[in-house]
Amino acid sequence: MPDRGGGPTGPRIRAGRPSRRARALLMTLGVLAVLGMVFTMFAGFWTDWLWYRSVHYSSVFTTTLWTKIGLFFVFGLLMAVAVGVNIWLAHRLRPPLSAMSMEQQSLDRYRMGIAPYKTWLLLAVACLVGLIAGASAAGQWRTWLMWVNGVPFHQKDPQFHLDVSFYAFDLPWYRFLLGFGFAAAILCLIAAALTHYLYGGLRVTSPGARATAAATGHLSVLLGIFVALKAVAYWLDRYGLAVKSSDFKATGNWTGLRYVDANAYLPAKTILFCIAVICALLFFATLWRRTWQLPVIGFGLMVLSAILIGGLYPAIVQKFQVQPNEQAKEAPYVQKNLKATREAYGIDDTKVTEYAGKSTTEDKTKLRDQVSDTASIRIMDPNIVSPTFQQLQQIRNYYGFPTNLDVDRYAKDGKEQDTVIGLRELNLGGIPKNNWINDHFRYTHGYGAVAAKGTEADAEGRPVFTEKNLPSEGSLGTYKQQIYYGEKTTTYSIVGGPQKEVDYSDDEGEKTTSYQGKSGVNLDNAVNRAAYAVAFNEPQILYSGAIGKGSRILYNRTPKERVEAVAPWLTIDGDAYPAVVNHRIQWIVDAYTTTNGYPYASRTTLGDTTADSLTATNNSRAVVAQQNQVNYIRNSVKATVDAYTGEVKLYQWDTADPVLKTWMKAFPGTVQARADISADLMEHLRYPQDLFKVQRELLTRYHVTDAQTFLSGSEVWQVPDDPTNDSRSAVPPYYLSMRMPDQSAQAFSLTTTFTPNGRDNLSAFMAVDSDPRTADYGKIRLLKLPTSTTVDGPKQVQSQFNSEQDIAETISLLSRGHSKVEYGNLLTVPLDGGLLYAEPVYVRGGELKYPLLRKVLVTYEGRTAFEDTLDEALNKVFGVAGSTPPPKTGNNPPDTGNPTVRQALDDAQKAFDAGQEALQKPKPDWSAYAKAQDDLEAALKRAEEAQAKADKAAGGSKADGGGSGGGKS
């Protein structure tokens, strides 16, 4: 009887092997996992292609893709072939294994183990190094495109007399090739040595010769190639000295040759090149001599020479020739650095004018009328009043304004005026209920622009709106008001399908719309829906019934994202700003071309030089390329992004920039000619802030054109800290319509101040013409104050404001209770040889917490005024009789029809009037003013609560701007 059990006489069960069903399941799961990974990679590629095609920049996608693929396969194949051939050759050159030593007997086990898999192992190693090398080469697509498309600068460096394009476009590519060659030589050498050792060509412990003649010849050739590449490196290092960075106490981050470079390192590199060539020939000679003696001696000589000639000799020159007389030795090279740096950053044409810093007019009353001709002093600070815009013009909670508004120019009654402008963008955090449909289908866009005069405020301290309400109405005329693309629009939306979108709300209720633009990617296709479901990790995109015929997905919706995506070779300015152009809202984006290969020009880090008190508190204003080290920059492109369609247009702005011309050759058809810029658009272009900040930082040292003065360091300036901000960061530049002393009329300008290094008094004032319609656009004017006298700088002026007793008492009263005083932009205006400072002062009052203009500080040559309006402050400073207060403008909150709200607002107005009456007495009645402030706060709170109840009863979300903006805290 046969055994059935599990004992020694029973059938054997093979433990641990899965059943056929389990194996089939595992295989299926494995196949599905592979398919999932493949589709995930496909989804990323496919959605990118669809997006580029939707914005009509598919050539950018295909050019970069094919360039990466080409570099990957060419250099991957070169590395794979190089390593594979050397392994194969080492195997072919293996010696016959006759007498076996203990070492060889130990290796024999490995040889026998890999013998059946030799071909596969060879292919695996070659493919692995090929993949790594190919991936590394693909990352050099920019370097390749710049090399193959490079155009000349028509400027030569002062040392080698080569065109700058050699350093900017050629040298980086040659260095990549050299690095690739070194990597290939080292990998081939390691692979060949291991193969020779494995098959007995190299011996470590065996008796007799350590290497066969074949192994000696093979490895010598590889070492010869390595040393030959080192010779090439020494030769390229000679040119690299022109763009080499080093620390130099006189300049900081120095770039270019110094005395020791030109007189020690340069000849040393030439000598080392010759030695390396001889050494390489000695290695190649072992093919015939079959001995390592001479190559080893040559290699030792090369190493010793590198230490003595390349290291010790320059140190001796620096110590005993340069340091005892540094200024005389370095002056010629500093002069070259001065010239190159000023050219590379576009500051070589800076007009420096000596400025007295003191008025020449004894009767100051005569200067009062000159102020309005000299500058349109902006008292609406775009970096302060955003909450005021939010409170008065948000209308619905699902709208919002950026933290920092923008300054532009708009004509009213035929006269241009500085205007503070912001867009009412979508704020998903304020929608009534967050869910997938609301977030991505119903609430898809913002609505309308809001603008206010920069130089005026109404009697309650609120902006004087020139464009307001919903739908927007005012001086901007008719324009497409929906904002599908904006700085705050960071999520995707699906539009154009069966699901209706919320357009805006008014007294008649909610208005709906459906997107009619051609932007975005069509989701009719099931493959597209699946790809986006994977790409966005949102499976509902695949099966949601809210997506149907005509549905389109919008993403990459911020202006900076879109421009950077279609032009990845550009560096984007930190501040995109909106403008109404040809009846459409257009985002205007400034973009730069840069390089770090401009010989002799000192490098700067964009993230550091563009930082100021605004970027310290608002990261969205920072430059995209935070750590980009550059030594050449041009505002070469002006870009626009349509707020409705998302259409991106790139315009060639700097027609002489060789870097842009190179990229235009690489990506033909992507950048339009400057002549294509419409007159309407030209009115709103301006000089970019980030370029200005880079230039002003360079001008702290490079305003000097004499090498001896530069080396002494006596004329070093600094950008002062923002005196109105606690971040201890640089003061931001300010846009202001003003007239410099050599100008006949006001020009829209970007301005800043300088102080001496380590001191607070003023050393210079800088302005650049920012209106491209003028011949002086981009012209930098520098008013240099005498070093023999001290003129108060921004920090000293602010300290003077805060230290005057009457002002301090008023500030203390304004900030009592829940109120908070905020200082606006401290503007500096050159006037009759002196400097006029003006600063608006805002108060955030009560629980509403939005700033209203309460006072204006003005000072001129030690005379200070702190008054309710700019006119009153100017009159007091210049000793002119007071003028009547400006009439109230029509910016009161609209009558909602709610009697409780209306009564509360009437009470608030009475309290405000009582407070003003208390302040206008010959001796201000501070107790009456304080009581009026309390009454005002209580009335505003009642108005806000009543309006909130009314909104809730009407079924809508709370209208923040409806009835709570009328008071003065």
Side-chain angles (χ1 to χ4, degrees):
M1 183 177 181
D3 291 329
R4 303 286 184 184
T9 59
R12 297 181 181 179
I13 300 175
R14 288 175 288 186
R17 181 171 180 174
S19 66
R20 181 178 300 174
R21 179 178 298 177
R23 291 199 304 272
L25 179 60
L26 289 173
M27 186 176 296
T28 302
L29 291 175
V31 170
L32 291 175
V34 171
L35 290 175
M37 288 189 291
V38 169
F39 188 79
T40 299
M41 291 187 290
F42 167 78
F45 163 81
W46 185 243
T47 52
D48 284 347
W49 161 247
L50 292 173
W51 186 86
Y52 276 97
R53 191 176 65 175
S54 73
V55 294
H56 309 296
Y57 282 89
S58 55
S59 63
V60 174
F61 179 81
T62 54
T63 299
T64 54
L65 176 65
W66 287 116
T67 302
K68 290 177 182 178
I69 290 174
L71 292 171
F72 176 86
F73 279 105
V74 168
F75 286 94
L77 187 62
L78 284 174
M79 184 67 80
V81 168
V83 173
V85 165
N86 277 279
I87 294 174
W88 173 83
L89 186 59
H91 180 263
R92 283 292 302 271
L93 297 175
R94 68 189 184 280
L97 300 176
S98 51
M100 298 290 290
S101 64
M102 291 297 296
E103 180 184 18
Q104 294 302 315
Q105 288 178 12
S106 299
L107 292 172
D108 191 50
R109 289 178 297 173
Y110 295 102
R111 289 192 288 265
M112 293 176 62
I114 66 174
Y117 311 107
K118 285 190 294 185
T119 302
W120 291 108
L121 186 61
L122 172 63
L123 291 174
V125 172
C127 288
L128 178 62
V129 296
L131 286 172
I132 296 172
S136 176
Q140 297 294 321
W141 65 271
R142 287 181 175 87
T143 308
W144 160 261
L145 287 175
M146 292 185 79
W147 177 68
V148 78
N149 295 287
V151 300
F153 276 67
H154 301 296
Q155 292 174 286
K156 293 185 177 181
D157 78 281
Q159 181 66 40
F160 302 102
H161 307 293
L162 296 173
D163 192 90
V164 172
S165 61
F166 171 80
Y167 301 94
F169 306 141
D170 300 343
L171 191 58
W173 178 249
Y174 297 153
R175 282 176 164 167
F176 164 71
L177 292 178
L178 186 64
F180 179 84
F182 273 124
I186 292 171
L187 287 175
C188 289
L189 188 62
I190 293 172
L194 289 174
T195 306
H196 279 299
Y197 176 70
L198 181 63
Y199 287 96
L202 291 177
R203 303 183 180 95
V204 178
T205 60
S206 300
R210 298 300 184 193
T212 63
T216 299
H218 185 193
L219 296 179
S220 294
V221 169
L222 291 175
L223 285 169
I225 292 173
F226 178 84
V227 176
L229 289 171
K230 187 61 181 175
V232 175
Y234 282 133
W235 189 256
L236 286 180
D237 284 348
R238 297 169 69 254
Y239 302 110
L241 292 172
V243 289
K244 183 195 73 171
S245 287
S246 60
D247 288 330
F248 186 24
K249 63 182 180 181
T251 66
N253 192 1
W254 167 277
T255 300
L257 286 84
R258 292 158 56 189
Y259 181 89
V260 70
D261 297 313
N263 295 278
Y265 280 112
L266 186 57
K269 297 292 183 183
T270 305
I271 295 170
L272 290 171
F273 163 76
C274 297
I275 294 173
V277 170
I278 295 171
C279 185
L281 293 175
L282 293 175
F283 274 107
F284 291 137
T286 57
L287 286 171
W288 296 277
R289 294 180 55 86
R290 305 295 184 182
T291 176
W292 290 88
Q293 187 175 5
L294 286 177
V296 169
I297 293 173
F299 189 77
L301 176 63
M302 188 178 76
V303 173
L304 183 62
S305 300
I307 295 171
L308 296 178
I309 302 175
L312 185 59
Y313 174 62
I316 293 173
V317 171
Q318 178 69 25
K319 180 70 175 178
F320 295 102
Q321 290 191 37
V322 178
Q323 288 186 6
N325 192 16
E326 186 174 40
Q327 287 206 14
K329 295 291 186 182
E330 299 288 13
Y333 303 95
V334 170
Q335 199 66 51
K336 295 175 184 178
N337 176 267
L338 283 169
K339 182 177 184 296
T341 302
R342 288 168 63 87
E343 289 174 351
Y345 290 95
I347 58 177
D348 50 327
D349 291 329
T350 299
K351 181 180 180 181
V352 181
T353 305
E354 298 295 332
Y355 193 69
K358 291 185 177 180
S359 173
T360 58
T361 302
E362 293 186 5
D363 186 1
K364 302 304 180 189
T365 59
K366 296 180 180 179
L367 297 179
R368 175 62 182 90
D369 292 335
Q370 293 184 24
V371 175
S372 57
D373 294 332
T374 302
S376 300
I377 297 176
R378 180 170 40 75
I379 57 175
M380 282 291 114
D381 186 347
N383 307 308
I384 296 289
V385 299
S386 178
T388 309
F389 274 50
Q390 186 89 353
Q391 182 71 20
L392 301 178
Q393 286 295 317
Q394 179 189 24
I395 310 300
R396 292 288 183 261
N397 278 352
Y398 47 80
Y399 295 129
F401 292 91
T403 305
N404 304 105
L405 303 177
D406 290 288
V407 178
D408 202 348
R409 300 91 69 206
Y410 286 91
K412 181 156 178 80
D413 299 327
K415 182 181 179 181
E416 281 195 352
Q417 59 185 11
D418 291 358
T419 301
V420 177
I421 186 171
L423 299 188
R424 194 183 286 110
E425 295 190 48
L426 178 67
N427 171 29
L428 287 177
I431 66 176
K433 182 179 180 181
N434 286 102
N435 55 52
W436 190 64
I437 294 295
N438 277 349
D439 289 353
H440 300 289
F441 290 82
R442 282 186 55 75
Y443 295 91
T444 59
H445 60 277
Y447 204 95
V450 177
K453 294 181 180 179
T455 56
E456 294 183 28
D458 69 9
E460 284 79 25
R462 298 172 303 183
V464 178
F465 291 111
T466 57
E467 185 77 14
K468 59 182 180 178
N469 296 340
L470 191 66
S472 291
E473 56 186 11
S475 61
L476 300 184
T478 58
Y479 60 95
K480 194 72 172 176
Q481 299 194 17
Q482 290 92 341
I483 303 162
Y484 283 86
Y485 295 88
E487 290 181 303
K488 298 172 72 69
T489 315
T490 56
T491 189
Y492 70 90
S493 290
I494 299 175
V495 298
Q499 181 68 53
K500 288 293 185 180
E501 310 162 43
V502 175
D503 200 21
Y504 65 92
S505 299
D506 60 15
D507 293 339
E508 299 177 0
E510 198 172 77
K511 309 293 184 182
T512 61
T513 188
S514 185
Y515 184 66
Q516 301 299 314
K518 299 300 181 184
S519 181
V521 178
N522 201 310
L523 293 180
D524 288 351
N525 189 311
V527 175
N528 291 358
R529 292 177 66 170
Y532 279 103
V534 171
F536 290 165
N537 194 27
E538 182 50 73
Q540 293 187 78
I541 294 177
L542 183 60
Y543 56 78
S544 174
I547 300 175
K549 185 174 179 57
S551 292
R552 310 178 72 85
I553 185 167
L554 313 180
Y555 61 105
N556 287 350
R557 298 170 69 183
T558 68
K560 288 189 286 186
E561 276 182 322
R562 295 181 78 77
V563 175
E564 190 176 31
V566 303
W569 61 89
L570 293 174
T571 298
I572 311 303
D573 190 271
D575 183 28
Y577 61 99
V580 177
V581 178
N582 296 323
H583 307 292
R584 303 188 73 86
I585 297 175
Q586 299 281 351
W587 289 99
I588 300 175
V589 183
D590 285 287
Y592 311 106
T593 46
T594 63
T595 180
N596 62 1
Y598 197 99
Y600 271 103
S602 291
R603 289 190 173 94
T604 186
T605 304
L606 291 182
D608 295 336
T609 53
T610 58
D612 58 25
S613 60
L614 296 184
T615 62
T617 56
N618 182 12
N619 290 331
S620 66
R621 292 291 290 266
V623 170
V624 174
Q626 285 289 315
Q627 299 307 316
N628 252 15
Q629 271 215 334
V630 305
N631 66 355
Y632 171 93
I633 186 170
R634 290 290 184 272
N635 176 214
S636 54
V637 170
K638 300 284 189 181
T640 61
V641 178
D642 192 288
Y644 184 77
T645 65
E647 181 184 19
V648 181
K649 291 184 179 179
L650 308 176
Y651 296 100
Q652 182 184 15
W653 185 247
D654 190 333
T655 56
D657 178 30
V659 181
L660 178 61
K661 290 179 180 179
T662 295
W663 287 119
M664 290 174 68
K665 278 183 65 180
F667 296 92
T670 56
V671 181
Q672 300 182 38
R674 178 169 176 156
D676 293 335
I677 299 177
S678 68
D680 200 4
L681 174 59
M682 189 71 77
E683 291 178 2
H684 298 283
L685 300 181
R686 67 188 191 187
Y687 201 80
Q689 292 188 62
D690 285 338
L691 176 60
F692 182 83
K693 286 188 279 188
V694 170
Q695 290 174 324
R696 75 172 179 179
E697 181 64 32
L698 267 295
L699 281 169
T700 59
R701 290 172 289 133
Y702 286 91
H703 64 278
V704 173
T705 57
D706 175 66
Q708 295 292 342
T709 307
F710 188 83
L711 282 165
S712 71
S714 61
E715 289 290 323
V716 176
W717 299 339
Q718 65 183 10
V719 178
D721 290 341
D722 188 348
T724 67
N725 192 291
D726 296 331
S727 65
R728 298 187 63 83
S729 301
V731 62
Y734 297 122
Y735 287 105
L736 183 69
S737 289
M738 59 167 292
R739 175 171 58 85
M740 291 288 277
D742 65 332
Q743 291 178 299
S744 58
Q746 289 186 20
F748 190 63
S749 304
L750 193 52
T751 66
T752 193
T753 52
F754 296 103
T755 58
N757 194 27
R759 297 172 61 194
D760 294 324
N761 57 290
L762 201 67
S763 57
F765 176 81
M766 173 182 172
V768 60
D769 193 318
S770 296
D771 191 339
R773 296 168 296 175
T774 66
D776 283 347
Y777 172 81
K779 183 174 182 178
I780 299 174
R781 291 177 170 89
L782 208 56
L783 301 181
K784 184 180 177 184
L785 279 76
T787 55
S788 57
T789 59
T790 56
V791 178
D792 288 344
K795 188 174 181 179
Q796 293 171 321
V797 169
Q798 188 67 48
S799 177
Q800 178 184 339
F801 283 158
N802 296 338
S803 61
E804 290 203 12
Q805 183 175 355
D806 291 344
I807 296 176
E809 289 178 356
T810 305
I811 293 292
S812 177
L813 277 168
L814 290 174
S815 58
R816 69 183 297 277
H818 298 291
S819 298
K820 177 185 177 183
V821 172
E822 292 186 16
Y823 295 99
N825 37 221
L826 178 58
L827 301 176
T828 308
V829 177
L831 177 67
D832 190 51
L835 290 159
L836 175 73
Y837 287 95
E839 181 180 61
V841 178
Y842 300 84
V843 176
R844 289 181 185 249
E847 296 183 1
L848 300 178
K849 297 299 180 186
Y850 67 93
L852 296 173
L853 181 69
R854 284 290 168 255
K855 295 284 183 179
V856 179
L857 285 160
V858 174
T859 185
Y860 186 74
E861 296 196 336
R863 303 180 66 179
T864 302
F866 186 54
E867 303 298 324
D868 291 343
T869 68
L870 176 63
D871 281 341
E872 292 172 0
L874 290 171
N875 289 339
K876 184 174 181 181
V877 163
F878 292 108
V880 177
S883 60
T884 57
K888 296 181 182 180
T889 57
N891 283 282
N892 291 317
D895 189 350
T896 62
N898 186 311
T900 306
V901 174
R902 187 67 268 167
Q903 182 60 49
L905 290 177
D906 289 342
D907 293 343
Q909 186 62 51
K910 292 176 182 177
F912 169 74
D913 293 339
Q916 292 301 299
E917 184 179 348
L919 288 177
Q920 291 171 3
K921 291 181 179 180
K923 185 176 181 180
D925 187 344
W926 295 115
S927 60
Y929 177 78
K931 182 178 183 301
Q933 290 291 93
D934 292 338
D935 294 342
L936 174 61
E937 183 177 340
L940 291 175
K941 187 174 181 181
R942 291 201 312 275
E944 185 178 27
E945 291 173 350
Q947 186 63 51
K949 290 179 181 178
D951 288 344
K952 186 175 181 182
S957 60
K958 176 184 171 183
D960 288 339
S964 55
K968 175 178 179 181
S969 301

